Amino acid sequence: MKNQMPAAETSVLQRRKFILNSIKSAAGLALLTISPSFSKGNNWSVKKQWTVQEVMDFVLKEGGLTPLKDTVDTIKSGKAEQIVTGIISTMFPTIPIIEEAIKLNANFIIAHEPSFYNHNDKADWVKNNEVLKKKQELLDKHKMVIWRFHDYCHSLKPDAVSYGVAKKANWLPYFKTGEVVLKIPTISLQNLVQHLKKSLSISRLRIIGDMNQSCERIALLPGAWGGPMQVSTAEKEKPDVLIVGELSEWETAEYIRDARSFGQKISLIVLGHAVSEEPGMEWFAEWLHPKLPDVKITHLASGDPFTWL
């Protein structure tokens, strides 16, 4: 286990450095820059055809984002000069997502997470990977473009994932840009679990805690923030509940278990990685749609990869 920790922690730091920078610099300004665009009926210039590169540049411009030199948000398949026939937003560009995109005649997938099973999408991450090869062949056959939208997604103000989750959970009145803690009306842990299952459409959750505990201060960390961030948030913010996407069971879960043994009032809810961040990509599609009226934009949920028995 000791040999695994440095690589895992490095990956987590790479994945989350843009989120942390975004949180440090974010302010209440955020909701003024993005949210109002849904309702103001902005008159965006009409353009009949867009290339992939033009869409990418447009997203950065409209999001107030500065191009990043060190980022995983690059084209993973296809070419930047391709004409866009339709856009799909999703969490993971799974085979069913690619097949559905083909049916919809949408050749541009904007995915939050990797296409090829590792953070940097290195094709040689595992030598002679037959599944990866077949996936590349499918993408090439249908001239499908995949652009990863991870670092930029978390750099939006507000962070698209956190905002999307808060929106879907009906917590926007309690959401503050740049803050991970939300103060919601008092609710039992049991009812909070049921609310999250229903609002986020998650069939099963994993919980550590007393189901009768009253909850008011929640720390919302969807996705894979990593043990150091999850535990430091619990230490600093002292939330009633820590809500995460995924975790290393031998890190954050054991911290929560010991904290409770010492009498701390803290519980843990694990949503699952894909389903915890999917609302962010759903909201991104909603945000982009009125800005690109010439392009068909569809959100497809990649879903939970697990079957819970």
Side-chain angles (χ1 to χ4, degrees), residues 88-106:
I88 301 296
S89 72
T90 192
M91 263 293 288
F92 286 89
T94 63
I95 301 305
I97 293 294
I98 295 169
E99 291 174 340
E100 186 62 24
I102 295 168
K103 291 179 182 178
L104 294 173
N105 191 34

Side-chain angles (χ1 to χ4, degrees), residues 7-192:
E9 292 178 2
T10 299
S11 177
V12 167
L13 289 174
Q14 288 178 335
R15 291 173 57 84
R16 294 305 167 199
K17 63 182 179 181
F18 295 105
I19 306 176
L20 296 178
N21 289 336
S22 178
I23 286 177
K24 291 178 182 178
S25 62
L29 166 69
L31 294 179
L32 298 177
T33 59
I34 294 184
S35 298
S37 66
F38 290 126
S39 57
K40 285 188 176 180
N42 297 303
N43 294 319
W44 304 102
S45 60
V46 176
K47 180 180 177 64
K48 292 183 178 180
Q49 286 190 329
W50 293 79
T51 66
V52 167
Q53 187 63 58
E54 285 173 336
V55 171
M56 291 165 58
D57 293 341
F58 183 80
V59 168
L60 267 58
K61 178 178 178 294
E62 291 301 315
L65 301 170
T66 302
L68 300 168
K69 293 182 179 179
D70 182 17
T71 179
V72 294
D73 291 5
T74 58
I75 292 176
K76 310 302 180 182
S77 171
K79 298 179 180 180
E81 61 269 23
Q82 286 183 226
I83 298 296
V84 175
T85 61
I87 295 174
I88 301 296
S89 72
T90 192
M91 263 293 288
F92 286 89
T94 63
I95 301 305
I97 293 294
I98 295 169
E99 291 174 340
E100 186 62 24
I102 295 168
K103 291 179 182 178
L104 294 173
N105 191 34
N107 66 350
F108 187 15
I109 298 176
I110 301 179
H112 187 65
E113 292 295 17
S115 301
F116 303 121
Y117 326 120
N118 66 95
H119 184 53
N120 293 307
D121 279 302
K122 292 182 178 179
D124 60 351
W125 180 61
V126 171
K127 301 295 184 183
N128 302 317
N129 189 329
E130 188 65 24
V131 172
L132 186 150
K133 181 181 178 182
K134 288 181 178 179
K135 189 171 188 178
Q136 287 177 320
E137 290 173 349
L138 176 65
L139 292 166
D140 292 343
K141 177 182 177 180
H142 294 280
K143 295 181 171 55
M144 189 70 65
V145 179
I146 296 179
W147 176 39
R148 187 165 179 201
F149 189 63
H150 179 273
D151 299 340
Y152 289 122
C153 183
H154 287 301
S155 296
L156 286 169
K157 296 181 178 60
D159 175 312
V161 169
S162 295
Y163 185 87
V165 173
K167 180 176 183 290
K168 199 152 191 178
N170 297 314
W171 286 342
L172 285 185
Y174 322 110
F175 177 84
K176 293 183 180 179
T177 300
E179 297 184 11
V180 298
V181 174
L182 287 69
K183 187 176 181 181
I184 64 174
T186 303
I187 186 173
S188 70
L189 181 61
Q190 176 72 49
N191 288 337
L192 176 59

